[in-house]
Amino acid sequence: MTNDATCKACHGSGMQRDDEGWQYTCSVCHGEGVVNELSTARNVKIMSTDENNRLLD
């Protein structure tokens, strides 16, 4: 995929990988690999991280 709707967080794969190699469904596009900027802007949850950029629960 190389269009403007391609998710920039997962590069269109629908999966994200953490620093230890674990893979997760992309939280931005919800695993679809594409985003609709109007709907995504309302559904994005900003999460806190620690000093090592790990997500805090």
Side-chain angles (χ1 to χ4, degrees), residues 5-38:
T6 300
C7 179
K8 291 178 177 61
C10 67
H11 305 286
S13 70
M15 298 294 287
Q16 290 180 317
R17 183 175 299 178
D18 67 10
D19 58 341
E20 295 178 357
W22 290 86
Q23 289 190 332
Y24 303 93
T25 302
C26 180
S27 60
V28 176
C29 68
H30 306 288
E32 295 180 17
V34 294
V35 291
N36 176 349
E37 291 188 28
L38 295 177

